[in-house]
Amino acid sequence: MQLKPINTLAVTLMLTAAVIILFFTGFLEFPSADSALPSANDSIFYSLSKSDSPEPFRDLFRAFKKWDSAVGCAQFREMHRDLLANWSKISSLQNAAGGIECGQLQMKHVSVLVKGWTWIPDNMDNLYSCRCGLSCLWTKSSLLADKPDALLFETTTPPILRRDGEPLRVYMDLEAGRRRSGREDIFISYHAKDNVQSTYAGAVFHNNRNYQLSSDKNNDTLVYWSSSRCLPQRTQLAKKILSLLPSHSFGKCLNNVGGLDQALSFYPECVKDPYEKSKWWDHLHCAMSHYKFVLAIENTMTESYVTEKLFYALDSGAVPIYFGAPNVWDFIPPHSIIDGTQFSSIEQLASYVKSLASDPVAYAEYHAWRRCGVLGNYGKTRAASLDSLPCRLCEEVSRMNGRDTKAL
């Protein structure tokens, strides 16, 4: 028997009616405009969506215990297994653990003289024992390095082009522009495409800080923000976010705590040394740790430019709300930040943050990377930081054979 042709319009109308019935009877739900949709890197929606009702909390240790019972490290590792496997293919980071083969080194000892005033910490001055039997003297003293193999310029550009037999010229610019001087033999920046990469993730950026971190999280004021360089675009974004979330702003920009240097009046236990005049960076991590979230907005949003603004928040035990490098996930642990760019609106972001603040299991999962040792590319980010820069620069100078390299 020949089948009758199906009326396409009729079938479409029937399916549409079925979907409408399912939706209004509760069997089918569409995401609302206020729901915080997960990004590809944001598996927390899995646990947040299971929460029965809001459960405000202050004690982070209690949140950890609840997460251990509900999820646990084994499940967290399994959730990120495929993601971690793919991270090994990422090219945003140089191989800090052996980018240069031992056979390529032409010198056994290299000395680097850091020239002029610079923010590079004095405690980097040292004699380092590097890979392949290479020793590396990094110093600001021309007495210790009277015949340096390389001169490092950071605040100022190399004054003249190098001539044959003179020390190599090294220029470092960790700002977003990555502007070469045109006079350097070796260029250091935050980007993997340049001669030597230096990320902002190392401990050298915040040595001698007060790490008396608090497990008691502020439940009424959720977000910490501090900025004293009031760039219009960043300040406008911060103002919109902070208008929707209870926050404390400690810097010059959008200050709402009664003036500058007020952190110690809120948290006197954060004093590093009662006998010395306090500086804002002394108690930065301690103050941040009292908040569930830290707003971190880069000065410039460009590829691979991930600065201390993000890493300070991670090191303080808070959850960063981040706006910055589009490839930020190449540099950080899985499920460690809230990527603000993954939300359709600031209102949606704020709704998600408020929900997360009242969900101890979901919030604790943002700390699971640290507790479970699931670092992803973060280990490589730390390895390529300022902490290891002396050895990595000395290896490059040795590979080029120092003063014996032909001038440009």
Side-chain angles (χ1 to χ4, degrees):
M1 182 177 68
Q2 187 176 8
L3 295 175
K4 294 183 179 180
I6 298 174
N7 188 316
T8 305
L9 177 61
V11 171
T12 303
L13 291 173
M14 291 172 62
L15 288 174
T16 302
V19 168
I20 293 173
I21 293 170
L22 288 171
F23 175 71
F24 283 106
T25 55
F27 287 101
L28 182 63
E29 292 184 11
F30 295 124
S32 68
D34 294 329
S35 64
L37 299 177
S39 71
N41 295 300
D42 199 355
S43 64
I44 197 60
F45 189 69
Y46 169 76
S47 55
L48 185 60
S49 62
K50 285 187 174 182
S51 301
D52 296 327
S53 59
E55 186 183 347
F57 68 96
R58 296 185 65 99
D59 185 3
L60 190 54
F61 287 125
R62 185 175 70 86
F64 288 165
K65 289 180 179 179
K66 291 179 74 69
W67 183 84
D68 289 342
S69 298
V71 184
C73 286
Q75 186 175 337
F76 184 78
R77 294 189 189 102
E78 181 62 25
M79 282 192 296
H80 295 282
R81 183 181 59 182
D82 294 340
L83 188 64
L84 294 175
N86 291 330
W87 254 332
S88 62
K89 305 171 185 176
I90 289 173
S91 60
S92 298
L93 287 160
Q94 292 180 356
N95 181 8
I100 298 175
E101 299 293 334
C102 292
Q104 295 178 275
L105 301 183
Q106 302 187 63
M107 306 166 63
K108 285 294 185 182
H109 177 77
V110 171
S111 60
V112 175
L113 179 61
V114 180
K115 295 289 288 182
W117 182 89
T118 174
W119 58 263
I120 296 174
D122 290 339
N123 58 8
M124 287 185 67
D125 281 30
N126 203 354
L127 178 61
Y128 296 85
S129 296
C130 307
R131 296 184 314 114
C132 309
L134 175 67
S135 57
C136 172
L137 176 63
W138 172 291
T139 181
K140 293 180 179 179
S141 170
S142 59
L143 176 64
L144 298 181
D146 61 310
K147 292 184 179 180
D149 301 293
L151 301 176
L152 172 60
F153 298 87
E154 184 272 325
T155 304
T156 59
T157 58
I160 56 175
L161 285 170
R162 186 178 70 89
R163 292 174 293 191
D164 286 345
E166 291 184 342
L168 293 177
R169 306 297 201 258
V170 182
Y171 181 53
M172 179 165 72
D173 182 8
L174 298 187
E175 294 301 324
R178 293 167 57 212
R179 295 182 180 89
R180 291 176 176 265
S181 70
R183 298 171 180 170
E184 73 278 344
D185 302 282
I186 300 172
F187 182 55
I188 302 171
S189 84
Y190 62 86
H191 205 286
K193 290 182 179 179
D194 294 316
N195 300 124
V196 180
Q197 183 181 27
S198 181
T199 70
Y200 284 80
V204 167
F205 271 104
H206 42 85
N207 276 346
N208 303 319
R209 303 288 176 87
N210 182 353
Y211 274 85
Q212 184 179 334
L213 305 184
S214 175
S215 63
D216 183 53
K217 295 291 186 180
N218 195 323
N219 210 32
D220 299 317
T221 308
L222 300 180
V223 181
Y224 173 103
W225 159 254
S226 181
S227 176
S228 292
R229 187 181 176 192
C230 305
L231 301 174
Q233 187 175 2
R234 179 172 62 182
T235 304
Q236 184 179 8
L237 176 59
K239 184 177 182 179
K240 188 169 184 181
I241 295 169
L242 300 181
S243 70
L244 299 173
L245 292 167
S247 60
H248 281 157
S249 178
F250 287 97
K252 292 180 182 178
C253 314
L254 308 176
N255 186 285
N256 67 353
V257 293
L260 301 178
D261 302 321
Q262 294 297 307
L264 292 180
S265 65
F266 282 75
Y267 311 109
E269 69 273 19
C270 290
V271 172
K272 177 188 168 187
D273 188 338
Y275 301 104
E276 291 184 2
K277 184 178 179 180
S278 180
K279 304 178 182 64
W280 66 266
W281 56 80
D282 290 336
H283 50 266
L284 178 69
H285 293 81
C286 180
M288 280 183 176
S289 72
H290 290 78
Y291 299 84
K292 291 179 179 178
F293 307 97
V294 169
L295 181 59
I297 307 175
E298 301 289 8
N299 298 350
T300 304
M301 300 182 189
T302 189
E303 183 188 80
S304 297
Y305 187 60
V306 184
T307 73
E308 77 284 352
K309 297 173 183 64
L310 172 57
F311 297 117
Y312 283 170
L314 285 180
D315 289 344
S316 72
V319 175
I321 303 170
Y322 182 74
F323 289 83
N327 62 334
V328 62
W329 289 104
D330 292 355
F331 297 86
I332 58 175
H335 198 71
S336 57
I337 71 168
I338 299 172
D339 185 352
T341 66
Q342 297 300 305
F343 295 83
S344 62
S345 67
I346 298 300
E347 290 76 14
Q348 188 188 62
L349 168 63
S351 176
Y352 176 71
V353 170
K354 289 176 181 177
S355 298
L356 189 61
S358 295
D359 189 333
V361 173
Y363 182 82
E365 189 154 321
Y366 276 93
H367 299 269
W369 66 269
R370 185 189 300 109
R371 300 180 66 231
C372 303
V374 182
L375 301 183
N377 253 19
Y378 189 48
K380 294 180 180 179
T381 305
R382 301 280 302 208
S385 72
L386 200 64
D387 297 357
S388 65
L389 180 61
C391 276
R392 291 185 293 115
L393 175 57
C394 282
E395 288 176 10
E396 180 65 12
V397 172
S398 175
R399 185 191 67 79
M400 295 177 66
N401 206 21
R403 290 169 175 261
D404 290 337
T405 298
K406 292 290 291 182
L408 296 173

